[in-house]
Amino acid sequence: MASKIEKNYLAAKEMYASIGVDTDKALDLLSKIPISLHCWQGDDVNGFETNAGGTSGGILATGNYPGCARNPEELRADLDKAFSLIPGAKRLNLHAIYLDAPKAVERNKIAPEHFESWIQWAEEKGAGLDFNPTFFGHPKAASNLTLSSPDAGIRKYWIEHAKACRKIAAAMGKRLKNPCIMNTWVQDGFKDVTIDRIQARKRLMASLDEIYSEKISPKYMKDAVESKLFGIGVESCTVGSSEFYMGYAVKNNLLLCLDAGHFHPTEVISDKISSALLYLDEILLHVSRPVRWDSDHVVTFDDELQAIAREIITCGANRVHIGLDYFDVTINRIAAWCIGTRNMQKALLKALLEPAAELKKMEKNFEGTGKLALLEELKAYPFGAVYDYFCEKQGVPSGMKWLDDVNKYEKEVLFKR
Ligand code: RNT
Ligand code: ZN
């Protein structure tokens, strides 16, 4: 006998079929779009370096919810829980500070062996890994200038760090037979009136040129660069601005990383995807939710998320790598992963369930009335029933059931930490 979820799905399937949409096909496509979960939601961006420095560098994890992972084993256990509650293809995005090493290692000396336990974990899960050098939370980043520092010694240290990270990323991609995306974001910037912006940018450019001078096969790793508008303490000038990295990525054929919180408050990344893809082969997204500023709130099912998802589907999901980037310490961290990732997936599904050809035709024919009417009607279509069925098919709790699991784990594991 069909379950309630299946019955609801069949009713939804019929409704979508009546507007020419094949729900089975949409679910098949959805199951193949990977979402990269950011490890740093699990421990408030602290990392596992001995003498950890915390965030700094203009980013801020706020809140004091109990249960933070204190070591790689705990973080992996928490990720196992999250992965078991999220359907579809998943990757894990690591930062260099998440190394698993018995004793302190300088950041310019880190190597693939320090990430062996993560690679093994990913192998077991059949998940790809992504990677990031960490330029913040470190005494050598105290001036808020790293790759663009006027101090050659500081620059050298961070160039070495980035080069070491590219080797780690390549090792991850090689072992997992799945290219690792390495995203470079530096907080470099100035608090107040900045006179010589061009020299700072020239220094950043020269450092990046040196970092990328070693050619590594895209079979193993791909490089992305992430711009930003401003950070706390560096409000007046960010060296790696949007224009800087757009030019740099295009010139050097790198991936451009668009973070939803890194632009002016009314500027949206959904409108940038189609332009970026005209000049670049692939891009990376940091799907986040800025509230008044780059606050990195948990991703909700808001208009911009739906717009981002529609662009990914329209422009080609194979060219857009989806990463999440937020860190909320006021709620359960595993729930934060589940809510944000499941929302990203629901938004992708909703986009996949749009009668795209029909909508495009209307737009081309200037049928604005019909297009708006159809888009509004679609908002009440039962995509939730389709998502529930997806969860069930993938052996993952549907609806709110995943939260019971998280609550149980919270009581039995997290609150005992
Ligand atoms: C910071 C950037 C960056 C970080 C992570 C931890 O504003 O968004 O991507 O959030 O690298
Ligand atoms: Zn980001």
Side-chain angles (χ1 to χ4, degrees):
M1 214 187 69
S3 69
K4 197 157 172 251
I5 300 246
E6 209 176 331
K7 271 193 211 145
N8 290 344
Y9 173 68
L10 291 173
K13 184 179 156 109
E14 211 174 290
M15 239 177 122
Y16 279 106
S18 73
I19 52 165
V21 173
D22 181 341
T23 50
D24 290 330
K25 200 171 140 206
L27 288 185
D28 182 49
L29 290 169
L30 184 67
S31 72
K32 293 178 185 142
I33 305 179
I35 301 178
S36 195
L37 274 79
H38 52 314
C39 75
W40 52 93
Q41 166 63 70
D43 80 325
D44 322 335
V45 212
N46 284 316
F48 304 128
E49 285 180 318
T50 330
N51 313 320
T55 50
S56 86
I59 55 175
L60 207 56
T62 55
N64 58 358
Y65 202 82
C68 180
R70 295 162 298 182
N71 53 52
E73 291 74 37
E74 287 182 355
L75 186 57
R76 279 193 286 269
D78 295 355
L79 281 160
D80 282 341
K81 184 47 73 188
F83 270 47
S84 75
L85 302 173
I86 300 164
K90 295 168 284 289
R91 304 172 62 85
L92 175 66
N93 194 4
L94 286 168
H95 241 280
I97 48 172
Y98 289 83
L99 78 176
D100 193 353
K103 53 182 193 326
V105 193
E106 266 300 327
R107 284 197 199 168
N108 60 345
K109 295 281 184 301
I110 56 170
E113 69 202 65
H114 303 125
F115 292 87
E116 180 55 31
S117 61
W118 286 110
I119 298 174
Q120 276 176 24
W121 178 87
E123 255 172 350
E124 277 160 31
K125 290 251 158 308
L129 286 178
D130 296 313
F131 199 57
N132 305 258
T134 313
F135 296 90
F136 54 80
H138 192 278
K140 284 192 162 48
S143 67
N144 278 324
L145 293 176
T146 62
L147 293 178
S148 71
S149 169
D151 180 330
I154 298 281
R155 284 203 308 278
K156 182 168 172 280
Y157 179 84
W158 290 113
I159 290 169
E160 285 170 2
H161 172 61
K163 284 185 163 180
C165 286
R166 288 183 84 223
K167 291 207 170 76
I168 294 165
M172 288 173 167
K174 194 171 180 184
R175 274 272 294 284
L176 299 170
K177 297 187 180 61
N178 191 334
C180 171
I181 311 289
M182 186 181 106
N183 178 53
T184 291
W185 168 72
V186 293
Q187 70 267 29
D188 291 35
F190 297 85
K191 183 179 176 72
D192 220 325
V193 187
T194 313
I195 306 303
D196 209 350
R197 291 165 188 252
I198 193 156
Q199 286 308 326
R201 291 190 167 127
K202 273 187 184 164
R203 289 193 294 266
L204 176 58
M205 193 175 183
S207 294
L208 292 170
D209 286 350
E210 193 173 335
I211 291 165
Y212 302 126
S213 62
E214 189 190 339
K215 294 289 160 241
I216 304 181
S217 167
K219 247 173 63 192
Y220 304 140
M221 66 92 63
K222 298 176 185 180
D223 291 291
V225 284
E226 179 180 8
S227 71
K228 189 165 178 175
L229 180 64
F230 82 97
I232 302 286
V234 285
E235 292 86 356
S236 297
C237 170
T238 294
V239 185
S241 59
S242 174
E243 294 75 11
F244 177 90
Y245 279 124
M246 212 185 311
Y248 196 84
V250 169
K251 190 171 167 199
N252 297 287
N253 198 25
L254 303 180
L255 279 74
L256 183 68
C257 172
L258 299 171
D259 183 307
H262 286 196
F263 296 88
H264 286 276
T266 61
E267 217 179 329
V268 282
I269 64 164
S270 54
D271 186 46
K272 300 180 186 296
I273 295 169
S274 51
S275 295
L277 287 175
L278 291 181
Y279 301 100
L280 297 165
D281 295 335
E282 295 170 48
I283 60 169
L284 169 67
L285 301 183
H286 270 187
V287 182
S288 189
R289 180 166 53 106
V291 177
R292 304 193 190 282
W293 69 291
D294 181 35
S295 59
D296 290 294
H297 278 63
V298 177
V299 166
T300 56
F301 196 77
D302 58 14
D303 284 353
E304 171 59 0
L305 185 71
Q306 293 175 59
I308 290 170
R310 181 185 286 140
E311 286 299 319
I312 295 172
I313 299 306
T314 308
C315 298
N318 54 334
R319 295 174 63 200
V320 184
H321 301 269
I322 308 171
L324 303 174
D325 185 10
Y326 52 77
F327 24 96
D328 188 339
V329 192
T330 66
I331 62 170
N332 180 299
R333 294 166 184 81
I334 298 171
W337 273 320
C338 292
I339 294 166
T341 315
R342 288 171 66 119
N343 275 334
M344 181 73 246
Q345 225 161 31
K346 282 182 203 161
L348 289 165
L349 175 63
K350 190 160 175 286
L352 286 164
L353 292 173
E354 282 182 348
E358 173 74 12
L359 286 163
K360 284 177 194 166
K361 197 175 99 202
M362 286 172 153
E363 189 163 282
K364 222 168 145 188
N365 295 339
F366 301 99
E367 292 168 32
T369 312
K371 185 179 77 171
L372 186 61
L374 178 54
L375 281 172
E376 289 308 296
E377 198 57 36
L378 280 168
K379 286 182 177 169
Y381 265 56
F383 75 93
V386 183
Y387 190 72
D388 283 348
Y389 179 70
F390 181 62
C391 290
E392 192 141 286
K393 252 185 36 174
Q394 297 248 339
V396 158
S398 60
M400 283 286 285
K401 279 183 277 176
W402 63 267
L403 189 59
D404 298 339
D405 239 61
V406 171
N407 287 336
K408 188 163 172 275
Y409 185 78
E410 175 171 276
K411 222 168 100 215
E412 288 169 5
V413 181
L414 300 178
F415 284 178
K416 292 195 175 136
R417 283 181 184 161

